[in-house]
């Protein structure tokens, strides 16, 4: 196939989609992650849907893992890495001018779930979690 | 001195959604790693990034040490009119790095 | 072959099936949606390989994507820094790179022929040697360390001028002894793991070594930004890394041994397009 920059991440996303299972069923967050989510939401209930998170199925190196999210209409989005020493990664705040999406590169200490929680315009919260395998290489890693 | 790179379209139509990329040269010392002598390297990261259009904030990011070395962000926004997009990165030590690009609405 | 090595070979064989999960040779490298760079070429004469394949083809799509746009490729922050350095006057002679060379574009093609024989110095020269000669002899400035940031940034800027051109180092004439030494080093088993370059990069490229997808070990993308250490890496620094991985005592960066190995490895990739500065894991 012809790989373009645009479809490269989408491909990764497609691979994830197959293995992705509903958030609350598969995602057992650590206390630290739950505390960060509670601090973000003020303890409000967190639903599902309305937020997409694209991550590699297998990251070639945990030092630089590309991630991408889209949560149309969200005012704030927090990214958490459930298996890191501290789960916090980044919090995005969007004005009305901005499209509620973002791409960045993050550090993952090992195979784990990456969680994105969004605060929507109506004040409700929604979340998504993806599992990312981080390989410790023979030589390249 | 941290070096920043930004990618901003020179022109757009009014209301067009444009994609912006920003990258800064920064080690992002997490405070978890040790040096060769076994001493913890103190935390020193870019802790905040923002983009402001003609004085109005478009978006901002609060960064934690889990953002990779040479922090990279891609985002999109709707261009209201001709104006300046100002980027700002804040280091733990208080240093602020800025970049500015003009978008012209035709 | 010792026991460790046998175990390694078994592991490699057992994991071969995983290759299919990875990017394939049919992926096309297009940079900035306009520059198509061939990532394989017919093997040069005398090569033990059927064809030569860029390390880009062995990486996963997410890593490949980072090299497909000069903004997404973090190497370019260092290329930018080198561009600033290019016009910076340093040393006792009041000169910058630009004082003699004006535009860096003049170096188009240079990357494809290095390392090469320097007649005046009667020595094999890598790009780093030329840069440091300029600094010490023309500028009256301090030389840079072989693999430190300023050097790798400058070799990236100069190598970039040759991006897309095929590698074509000379292998005959005065460099013949260096070629011979390089080849000997390539095939000699060393270190506690008793391995040669060829064990991975000739006999087993395309298969997995633990979680890594082995490439042919081509150097057409160097200096290269590695996700592992988030910086530009010189060819010699990569050689050093390999030697440490097989528990061998590495040669010095800039040593006659590593320059000879650089020439020999470059010659194995003759015909492959320059990708510098590339992105690898």
């Amino acid at each position: 196939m012809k790989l373009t920059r645009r479809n490269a991440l989408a491909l990764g996303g497609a691979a994830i989609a197959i293995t992705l299972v509903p958030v609350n069923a598969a995602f057992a967050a650590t206390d630290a992650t739950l505390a960060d989510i509670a601090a973000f939401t003020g303890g409000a209930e967190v639903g599902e849907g309305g937020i997409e998170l694209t991550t590699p199925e297998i990251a070639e190196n945990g030092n630089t893992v590309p991630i991408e999210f889209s949560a149309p209409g969200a005012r704030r989005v927090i990214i958490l890495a459930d298996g890191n020493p501290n789960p916090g990664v980044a919090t995005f705040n969007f004005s009305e001018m901005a499209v509620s999406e973002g791409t960045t590169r993050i550090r993952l200490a090992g195979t784990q779930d990456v969680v994105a929680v969004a605060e929507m315009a109506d004040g409700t919260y929604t979340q998504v979690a993806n599992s990312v395998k981080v390989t410790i290489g023979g030589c390249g890693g | 001195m941290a070096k920043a790179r930004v990618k901003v379209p020179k022109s757009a139509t009014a209301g067009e959604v444009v994609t912006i990329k920003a990258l800064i040269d920064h080690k992002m010392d997490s405070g978890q790693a040790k040096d060769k002598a076994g001493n913890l390297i103190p935390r020193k990261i870019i802790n905040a990034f923002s983009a402001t259009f003609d004085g109005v904030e478009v978006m901002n990011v609060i960064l934690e040490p889990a953002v990779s070395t040479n922090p990279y962000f891609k985002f999109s926004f709707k261009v209201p009119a001709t104006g300046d997009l100002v980027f700002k990165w804040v280091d733990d030590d208080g240093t602020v790095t800025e970049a500015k690009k003009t978008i012209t609405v035709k | 072959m010792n026991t460790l090595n046998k175990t390694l070979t078994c592991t490699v064989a057992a994991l071969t099936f995983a290759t299919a999960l990875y990017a394939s040779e049919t992926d096309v490298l297009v940079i900035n949606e306009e520059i198509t760079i061939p990532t394989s070429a017919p093997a040069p004469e005398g090569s033990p390989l059927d064809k030569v394949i860029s390390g880009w083809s062995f990486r996963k799509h997410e890593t490949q994507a980072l090299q497909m746009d000069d903004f997404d490729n973090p190497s370019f922050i260092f290329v930018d820094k080198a561009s600033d350095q290019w016009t910076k006057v340093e040393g006792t002679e009041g000169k910058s790179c630009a004082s003699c060379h004006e535009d860096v574009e003049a170096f188009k093609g240079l990357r494809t022929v290095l390392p090469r024989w320097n007649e005046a110095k009667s020595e094999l020269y890598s790009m780093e040697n030329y840069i440091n000669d300029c600094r010490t002899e023309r500028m009256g400035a301090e030389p840079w360390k072989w693999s430190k940031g300023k050097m790798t940034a400058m070799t990236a800027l100069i190598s970039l001028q040759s991006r897309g051109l095929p590698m074509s180092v000379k292998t005959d004439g005065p460099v013949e002894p260096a070629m011979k030494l390089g080849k000997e080093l390539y095939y000699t088993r060393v270190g506690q793991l008793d391995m040669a370059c060829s064990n991975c990069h000739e006999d087993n490229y395309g298969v997995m070594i633990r979680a890594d997808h082995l490439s042919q070990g081509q150097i057409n993308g160097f200096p290269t930004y590695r996700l592992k250490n988030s910086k530009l890496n010189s060819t010699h620094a990569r050689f050093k890394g390999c030697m440490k991985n097989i528990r061998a005592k590495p040669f010095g960066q800039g040593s006659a041994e590593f320059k000879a190995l650089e020439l020999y490895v470059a010659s194995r990739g003759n015909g492959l397009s320059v990708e510098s500065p590339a992105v690898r894991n």
Side-chain angles (χ1 to χ4, degrees), chain C:
Chain C
M1 188 188 274
N2 65 22
T3 315
L4 261 178
N5 208 353
K6 271 182 198 151
T7 311
L8 184 69
T9 312
C10 291
T11 312
V12 166
L15 289 172
T16 307
F17 71 94
T19 309
L21 292 173
Y22 283 78
S24 79
E25 280 176 56
T26 52
D27 291 339
V28 180
L29 172 55
V30 182
I31 295 178
N32 303 334
E33 291 174 7
E34 56 181 7
I35 315 161
T36 303
I37 296 190
T39 48
S40 67
E45 211 184 306
S47 170
L49 306 166
D50 297 329
K51 65 174 172 177
V52 289
I53 306 163
S54 162
W56 182 84
S57 299
F58 295 87
R59 303 276 52 91
K60 289 181 86 270
H61 286 138
E62 291 86 4
T63 309
Q64 290 185 331
L66 295 178
Q67 201 186 313
M68 298 176 79
D69 178 284
D70 286 347
F71 194 93
D72 293 349
N73 181 344
S75 306
F76 280 81
I77 197 124
F78 306 105
V79 169
D80 276 3
K81 282 183 163 185
S83 298
D84 294 344
Q85 180 73 41
W86 184 259
T87 52
K88 193 175 163 192
V89 173
E90 282 189 335
T92 54
E93 306 304 304
K95 285 180 182 171
S96 70
C97 306
S99 310
C100 295
H101 302 290
E102 290 179 26
D103 199 324
V104 69
E105 282 176 29
F107 285 130
K108 184 175 178 177
L110 181 65
R111 173 67 170 76
T112 66
V113 297
L114 294 180
R116 71 176 172 200
W117 188 253
N118 181 333
E119 196 60 56
K121 303 274 177 173
S122 287
E123 198 186 326
L124 183 65
Y125 255 49
S126 294
M127 191 182 289
E128 289 85 348
N129 295 121
Y130 282 108
I131 291 171
N132 270 344
D133 274 8
C134 277
R135 289 188 59 80
T136 55
E137 293 172 16
R138 294 184 183 184
M139 295 167 68
E142 288 295 312
W144 286 330
K145 286 215 164 138
W146 197 272
S147 297
K148 284 282 189 191
K150 283 184 176 170
M151 181 64 96
T152 52
M154 189 56 75
T155 58
L157 173 67
I158 295 171
S159 300
L160 172 65
Q161 311 309 316
S162 304
R163 191 165 67 177
L165 299 176
M167 283 299 295
S168 57
V169 291
K170 278 192 80 167
T171 57
D172 54 1
V175 299
E176 270 178 33
M179 277 291 290
K180 194 163 165 268
L181 173 62
K183 187 174 181 180
E184 194 184 310
L185 292 169
Y186 192 87
Y187 286 103
T188 304
R189 289 173 176 272
V190 290
Q192 289 177 317
L193 297 190
D194 194 31
M195 290 172 78
C197 307
S198 59
N199 293 143
C200 287
H201 299 294
E202 182 174 308
D203 304 340
N204 281 304
Y205 70 85
V207 302
M208 303 297 290
I209 181 166
R210 295 180 67 202
D212 259 338
H213 195 204
L214 283 171
S215 74
Q216 288 185 347
Q218 300 290 355
I219 57 173
N220 56 308
F222 280 82
T224 193
Y225 187 90
R226 292 190 67 196
L227 305 183
K228 177 194 169 101
N229 54 20
S230 310
K231 63 174 186 179
L232 285 170
N233 292 256
S234 73
T235 306
H236 290 199
R238 191 67 191 90
F239 289 162
K240 180 186 169 189
C242 274
M243 292 193 79
K244 286 179 85 165
N245 286 336
I246 56 171
R247 314 258 188 277
K249 188 174 185 295
F251 297 107
Q253 300 184 53
S255 65
E257 288 87 354
F258 270 173
K259 282 195 288 178
L261 187 60
E262 181 186 354
L263 173 65
Y264 177 68
V265 174
S267 79
R268 289 173 67 98
N270 266 350
L272 210 48
S273 302
V274 172
E275 288 174 30
S276 318
V279 182
R280 301 286 185 260
N281 60 323

Side-chain angles (χ1 to χ4, degrees), chain B residues 24 46 48-52 61 86-90 96-99:
Chain B
I24 190 164
I46 295 287
F49 165 75
S50 65
T52 305
V61 186
V86 175
F87 301 86
K88 199 164 132 182
W89 292 262
V90 183
V96 175
T97 306
E98 282 196 344

